[in-house]
Every structure is written in C-alpha cells, then in structure tokens.
Amino acid sequence: INMVTEVTLSLSLAFLPAAAGNMQRAPRDPAEPLLTGFLGWRIVIVTVLMTTASLLMFRWELAAGNSLATARAAAVNMIVVGEIAYLLNCRDLERNILSLAGIFGNKPAWLGIAIVIVMQLAFTYLPWLQVWFGTGDVSLASWGRIAAGGLFILIAVEAEKWLVARWRAARSA
C-alpha cells in the first residue's frame, strides 16, 4: 500500500495551493519540533479511524460469507479510500474543507486520486494480481461500504478540526 498509494497521493500535496490566509498566520517557532503534540494527536486519530474501518470491513466481509481473499481486498481498499479521504482533509490541517472549493480545489490531488483508483481496480480485479496478492473480487455492495467508510473518515477528521478550533478559541479567550 505504502509503495503505491502513499507515494502517489503524497506527491500531489506538493502541488497543493497555499491555504487561504496562510500568509496572515504567525510563523512557526523555529525551536518547535516538526512533530508537534497536535500532529501527534492527529496521527493517532487518523490511524485509529483507518485501522478500525479496515478491520470492520474485513470482519464484515468474512461475516457475509465472503472468502478470505475477498475480505483482504476489501480491507486494503478501505485503507486506500481512507488515505484518499485524509488527503482531502490535508488541504488545510486546521480549517474546514467541506465545500466545493475545499474538496475539488486541488487538481493535482484529483489526478493522484485517479491514478490510485486505477491501480486499486487493477489490484482488485486483475487475475494475475489477485494470485500474486492473495486477493479476490470486491462486490458493488462492498464498494458502497468502503465509500461510506471513507466518507466517515473525512467527516470525522473535519469534526475533529472543528472541535480543536473551538477548544483553542475557548483556551485563548
């Protein structure tokens, strides 16, 4: 997953336009570590969300009577869709992106997403890749659950941004 999707999706962040009001923010303290408590918190939250969604998808597929190979493919696709959702969240790490401009404002990100989707469809449906990775076909209903999981991750991170902003505002008041 990391060799393909993370590289492809992360590269699109290099072309992300600066967030609105970015130049009005105070500069980062040079003594501040790159991995702050806030970023550590965000890493934990996103990791828990993506891991939980992937494990739930895996268990759902098995409980539905699908093969281990299909459950594996659904779980991997859930992780990838979670990564796509978080890429969209990363347009601005502190402000809400739930608008047309927020979601669709980064064309390079959508190019990266399109490339990853094509690769995931190949991973999921090409017979020789299924043999190589031990995966199976994912049903349309499973794709619906995977998309819903990605949407949940997107909204959960946006809710966390809102809560953190409220907490910071209350703390500074």
Side-chain angles (χ1 to χ4, degrees), residues 9 16 34 37-38 49 64 73 77 79 81 93 96 134 140 152 156 165 172:
L9 294 175
L16 186 68
L34 288 177
F38 168 73
L49 287 169
N77 280 301
I79 292 169
V81 169
L93 292 177
N96 186 302
L140 189 57
F152 176 78
S172 67

Side-chain angles (χ1 to χ4, degrees), residues 23-110:
M23 296 307 288
Q24 284 71 40
R25 294 182 191 172
R28 184 182 69 81
D29 182 355
E32 182 180 68
L34 288 177
L35 184 59
T36 63
F38 168 73
L39 286 178
W41 162 257
R42 178 66 58 79
I43 290 168
V44 168
I45 291 296
V46 172
T47 300
V48 167
L49 287 169
M50 288 176 45
T51 302
T52 301
S54 181
L55 289 173
L56 287 173
M57 184 60 56
F58 181 79
R59 299 284 301 186
W60 183 297
E61 293 297 318
L62 290 178
N66 292 315
S67 69
L68 179 61
T70 296
R72 269 191 213 124
V76 168
N77 280 301
M78 182 66 252
I79 292 169
V80 171
V81 169
E83 290 173 347
I84 290 169
Y86 191 58
L87 171 71
L88 296 173
N89 288 119
C90 286
R91 180 169 174 82
D92 192 317
L93 292 177
E94 296 178 0
R95 292 186 191 94
N96 186 302
I97 56 97
L98 295 178
S99 67
L100 288 177
I103 298 289
F104 297 107
N106 184 8
K107 288 183 176 88
W110 283 100

